[in-house]
Amino acid sequence: MTVLNQSGHRVYLNGQWVASERELEVVNPADGKVFASVSTVDREQVRAAIDAAHAAFPAWRAMTAKERGILLHKVADELKRRQDEIARIITLENGKPLAQSKGEVGMSEDHLRWFAEESKRAYGRMIPQQDSHKRNLVIKSPIGVVGAIAPWNFPLVLAVRKVAPALAAGCPVILKPASKTPLCSVLLAECMEAAGIPAGVFQLIIGNAGMIAEEFLNNPLCRKITFTGSTEVGQGLIRGAAAQVKPLSLELGGHAPLLVFEDCDLDVAVRETMIAKFRNMGQSCIAANRIYVQKSIYSAFMEKFVAAAKALKVGNGLEPGMDVGPLIGEKALESALAQIEDAVKRGANVRCGGKRVANTDGFFLEPTVLDGVVDGSVCMCEETFAPIAPVTSFETEQEALTRANASPFGLSAYVMTRDYARMLRCAEALESGTIGINDGAPTTSNAPFGGVKHSGWGRELGSEGLDGFLETKHVSLGGF
Ligand code: NAP
C-alpha cells in the first residue's frame, strides 16, 4: 500500500518492486513543493524489461480472451476499491480538482471493463473462396511487446487507454508515465499486481524519456510503440521508427474549434462550452481553444459565458467545491500569460481573468475569457493548454467551417446547433477525429478516439482500440 508524502516509490519490473538511487522528485502544482519521489530506471533495466515482457508473451497470448478479460475486470475492481486514494494522488501530482480526478479513475475503470469484454470480439473471418480448391481465413494475432508512453494531463486514464487494449489483445506492455505525474501509475501497477496479472506482462518504468524511447525504438523485441503527447515528440518518434520500421500509434496535440450557431440552445451551448474549455484547467488535448460565435447571438452568448467563467472557483484541488486547479508548472503558466498578452496586443479585450492568481506559490491562472480575438493571435494558432477562452465572431456556416479547418491539428471539434442538417454537414466537413455536437465531453470507452492531420495516427477506444495491438493475417488453406 502506497503512503502519501513519502519518498521512495518504486518501479515495477518483471513482477518485482525495484528501487534505485536515481530518484525523480514529484511536485504538487498547487504549492510548488516536492511531496514525493520515485525510483528511475537505466538503459539496462529498460532492456531487461523488454526481455521479461518478451519471455512473458507466449503464455499471455495463449490465454483465452475470456481469461484475460477476467483478469482485466479484477484490475478494474482494484481501481474501484482504491478510487479515493488514487484520485487524491492524481490531484496531488497533477493539480486537477478532486471531483475531476475521481471522474478520471471512474473512466479508467470503464476503459478496463470495455476492453475486458471487447477482446472477445477480435474476430477474424472466413472469406468466400475464389478457387474451389482453397479456403481463405483471416485471423488476428497480438503484435507482441508494447512500449506505452503517457502524458501528465490525464495521467491515469490516458495510460489505461493504452495498457488495457494491449493486455486485452494478448500483448505484454511496458508503461512509461510522464515524469511530472508518475505516482498514479505506481498505484495502477499495484492494482495489476493485486489482480494477478503475471510477472512481465505489465511493467512500469520511470525515467529519462529520450533514453527509454530510444530503447523502445531500437530494440527489435519491442514490436510497437503507443504514444500520447506533443506533436513535436511524436514527430521525433516517427523519425526514430524508420530503422526498425516500428509501428506507432500516436495521440498528439490538438487545437479544437468550437462553433456556436444562432439556432443553438444558448444555455446548452454555454454549459457545454464551459466543460469543453475549462475542464482540467484547459490542459486537455480536446479543449476548445478557438471559440467562434455567430454574430447575431455574439453578445447574448458572451454575457452568459463570461458570467459562468467568473463564477468558477479556483484553488487547491483537494479543497471541496473547486472548479479550476493550478497549471502543471511555472513554464505552462508563463506561456499562458504570454498568449494572453499577445492576444491583447492584437486588439482582444480581457472580459474576465487574465492574471496569475496572487498570494500563492502554486501555478494558478485566473479563468480567462478574451473577446474579439483576431485569427492570427498565438492562442488561435498554437495549442493553449490553459483556462483561456478566446472568442471571435463569424457570419456564415461556410466561413466558420473554413476558419475551423485552418489548423494543422485535427483532434476534436465542437458544434452548438439544433439544426439536424447542419449537425451532419458540419460533422462531415470538420477535419477532426471527434466531433461533439452540443456535447463538451465527447470521449467514451465505446467509441473510437484519435486525430487527423498533425493530431496523430490510429484510434484508441471503441472496437478500433484493439486494432493497433493486433496483426491481421491471411491463412490460405489448400488441398481441398
Ligand atoms: P510531451 O512533452 O510530448 O510528453 C508526453 C510523454 O512523452 C511524457 O511521458 C514524456 O516524458 C515523453 N517524452 C518526452 N520527450 C520524449 C522523447 N524525446 N521521446 C519519447 N517520449 C518523450 O507532452 P506533454 O507536455 O506531457 O503532454 C501534452 C501534450 O500531449 C499536448 O500536446 C497534448 O495535446 C497532447 N495530448 C494528446 C492527447 C491525445 O489523445 N491526442 C491526449 C493528451 C495529451 P517526460 O515526462 O519524462 O518528459
Side-chain angles (χ1 to χ4, degrees), residues 3 9 18 28 32 39 49 78 106 127 132 168 191 241 254 282 284 370 438 443 460 467:
V3 181
H9 295 283
V18 178
N28 179 350
S39 289
E78 278 298 304
I127 303 169
S132 60
C191 294
S284 166
L370 300 173
N438 303 318
T443 311
E460 295 187 326
D467 291 348

Side-chain angles (χ1 to χ4, degrees), residues 10 35 139 201 217 244 250 277 289 295 299 307 339 342 361 363 399 421 426 446:
R10 290 167 293 168
F35 72 96
I139 60 170
V201 169
L217 284 166
Q244 294 286 335
L250 300 171
K277 176 67 257 180
N289 281 342
K295 216 165 200 165
S299 303
Q339 283 203 1
D342 169 79
D361 292 330
F363 312 115
E399 178 203 340
C426 290
N446 53 327

Side-chain angles (χ1 to χ4, degrees), residues 424-452:
L424 282 178
R425 274 197 310 274
C426 290
E428 286 166 4
L430 284 164
E431 297 170 351
S432 20
T434 295
I435 291 129
I437 311 263
N438 303 318
D439 183 4
T443 311
T444 171
S445 299
N446 53 327
F449 176 80
V452 304

Side-chain angles (χ1 to χ4, degrees), residues 149-154 158 161 176-180 207-210 213 227-231 233 237 251-254 284-285 383 385 411 449 455 460:
I149 303 176
W152 51 263
N153 59 337
F154 290 91
L158 295 182
R161 218 168 267 186
K176 183 248 171 278
S179 297
K180 291 187 178 81
N208 183 294
F227 170 80
T228 298
S230 59
T231 296
V233 172
L237 289 174
E251 294 289 342
L252 307 179
S284 166
C285 52
E383 199 172 21
F385 253 56
L411 192 58
F449 176 80
S455 290
E460 295 187 326

Side-chain angles (χ1 to χ4, degrees), residues 10 73 90 120 308 325 340 354 396:
R10 290 167 293 168
H73 276 302
I90 293 176
K120 297 171 190 166
I340 296 170
T396 66

Side-chain angles (χ1 to χ4, degrees), residues 262-335:
E262 60 194 2
D263 54 37
C264 72
D265 177 321
L266 204 54
D267 290 329
V268 170
V270 170
R271 185 188 70 208
E272 298 303 312
T273 306
M274 289 297 293
I275 295 168
K277 176 67 257 180
F278 292 108
R279 189 172 65 113
N280 214 42
M281 296 75 79
Q283 297 174 130
S284 166
C285 52
I286 60 167
N289 281 342
R290 301 175 282 142
I291 300 171
Y292 303 91
V293 183
Q294 201 152 19
K295 216 165 200 165
S296 52
I297 57 158
Y298 190 81
S299 303
F301 175 86
M302 282 307 273
E303 195 182 319
K304 287 180 182 241
F305 185 55
V306 171
K310 279 182 178 165
L312 290 171
K313 280 195 174 163
V314 186
N316 186 325
L318 289 181
E319 286 168 21
M322 289 302 149
D323 300 302
V324 177
L327 293 181
I328 192 68
E330 186 64 37
K331 252 173 79 179
L333 185 52
E334 281 168 13
S335 117

